[in-house]
Amino acid sequence: MPLHDLHRLHRAPYRLAESPVWDDRSGKFLWCDILDGTITEMDEHGAGAQVWNLPPTIGSFGLAESGRLVVALRNAVHLFDRESGTLDLLAEIEPDEEETRTNDGKVGPDGAFWVGTMHDRKERRPIGALYRVTASGGVEKKAEGLHVSNGLAWSPDGRTMYHSDSTGAWVDAWDFDPASGAVSGRRSFLKLDDTIGRPDGAAMDAEGCYWSCGVSAGRLNRFSPDGELIEFFELPVPAPTMPCFGGADGRTLVLTSLTDGVSAERVAAYPESGSVLVARTEVAGAPITRFLDQG
């Protein structure tokens, strides 16, 4: 199952582009630069660009039912109004922990925002955690002991949640209740390494396969529901960060990447480093949901 017509969609180049999301209402993809605090919106053909500047650091974000974005800044989750540019505080996340920040986050099938934290130092320690944030501002800790919480994705039926630790480097699967957001039955799904690619951001396709950006290997890996590596794609960037399915038929794939922490020599060897890439796939992405905010 090849990636068709893989090419650059946009090149800043970004220091740490992440968290791509498809907005089916506007017909555009959105993504952020974590370190620079920007969110960019653009269609799959590179047109209609708009950029919002927020306080860095933006860990991740998702779409809200109201049309706003649910955004994880360094130590809090906010609702961001794209029209007015206002940020409304929803919940604090580890506000007293100076060495952690938010990282990968997505809206789950339960309509809550799931977001993890990471140890924001060169030598990672397992002091991060995974949280569930609701529209009322409720915060529940669901997992702890993480170096870099990452790789959130849900099966097409919403009954399995996948979650990774990029430093670990592993991906676990959980039984998930789409009605309540309850998780149980945690189990190992993947054990990875630098060669296969430490697991960064992820996405799920309609066949129940888990697509993981191998940030250390410059490739995109596709795993079956049983954890078998079905195929992988060598990319023109050394450090891809997250895939996202979208487009009118769900078969347009957008990939973000980074330059932060990559040697100058390696960036020079990969001219597309830090770019946002786009390709066509033969399988559609799994459905995604919106944050059930209160208007």
Side-chain angles (χ1 to χ4, degrees):
M1 183 181 296
L3 293 180
H4 300 285
D5 190 27
L6 176 65
H7 63 279
R8 178 203 304 171
L9 177 65
H10 186 64
R11 183 173 190 263
Y14 292 103
R15 296 170 64 196
L16 184 43
E18 263 282 10
S19 199
V21 177
W22 166 250
D23 187 342
D24 60 327
R25 295 178 185 173
S26 68
K28 294 181 179 180
F29 286 95
L30 298 91
W31 60 85
C32 68
D33 187 308
I34 289 178
L35 300 179
D36 289 343
T38 60
I39 293 178
T40 299
E41 178 185 74
M42 184 178 294
D43 72 20
E44 61 192 285
H45 307 293
Q50 185 167 352
V51 179
W52 293 274
N53 292 285
L54 280 70
T57 306
I58 302 175
S60 52
F61 68 96
L63 305 174
E65 188 60 45
S66 66
R68 295 179 290 184
L69 303 178
V70 55
V71 181
L73 298 184
R74 184 174 183 87
N75 61 356
V77 175
H78 295 73
L79 286 167
F80 175 64
D81 189 313
R82 286 179 275 180
E83 297 296 326
S84 66
T86 57
L87 275 171
D88 294 321
L89 177 66
L90 183 63
E92 293 186 316
I93 305 292
E94 300 177 4
D96 300 321
E97 178 54 74
E98 295 182 356
E99 295 191 2
T100 64
R101 68 162 175 85
T102 61
N103 198 50
D104 183 69
K106 288 186 177 178
V107 179
D110 57 336
F113 187 58
W114 291 72
V115 62
T117 58
M118 59 176 279
H119 186 210
D120 194 23
R121 297 292 186 271
K122 186 174 182 180
E123 299 297 326
R124 313 285 195 206
R125 291 190 290 118
I127 60 174
L130 176 66
Y131 298 89
R132 178 179 184 262
V133 180
T134 64
S136 65
V139 178
E140 301 173 80
K141 183 185 288 187
K142 294 295 188 176
E144 56 188 354
L146 307 171
H147 300 81
V148 181
S149 180
N150 225 323
L152 284 166
W154 282 263
S155 59
D157 64 2
R159 306 204 68 85
T160 303
M161 181 180 80
Y162 298 87
H163 173 241
S164 74
D165 187 324
S166 295
T167 300
W170 48 257
V171 182
D172 282 354
W174 305 64
D175 295 327
F176 190 87
D177 183 347
S180 67
V183 290
S184 61
R186 183 178 183 179
R187 57 210 179 264
S188 176
F189 178 61
L190 299 171
K191 297 289 187 182
L192 300 170
D193 57 31
D194 285 342
T195 302
I196 297 173
R198 287 184 289 107
D200 205 299
M204 185 68 59
D205 70 30
E207 296 178 358
C209 295
Y210 182 82
W211 297 60
S212 172
C213 274
V215 67
S216 60
R219 69 190 223 179
L220 177 63
N221 297 307
R222 183 178 185 236
F223 297 95
S224 75
D226 296 324
E228 176 190 356
L229 179 60
I230 301 173
E231 54 194 335
F232 65 89
F233 309 98
E234 300 287 354
L235 300 174
V237 294
T241 55
M242 186 184 287
C244 170
F245 290 93
D249 61 359
R251 289 181 165 85
T252 298
L253 185 76
V254 159
L255 289 153
T256 50
S257 68
L258 61 82
T259 56
D260 186 67
V262 180
S263 70
E265 294 79 12
R266 194 154 173 77
V267 169
Y270 289 86
E272 300 296 348
S273 296
S275 297
V276 176
L277 306 174
V278 64
R280 293 286 293 166
T281 68
E282 296 178 14
V283 62
I288 62 168
T289 48
R290 289 177 178 259
F291 185 67
L292 297 179
D293 60 346
Q294 297 173 326

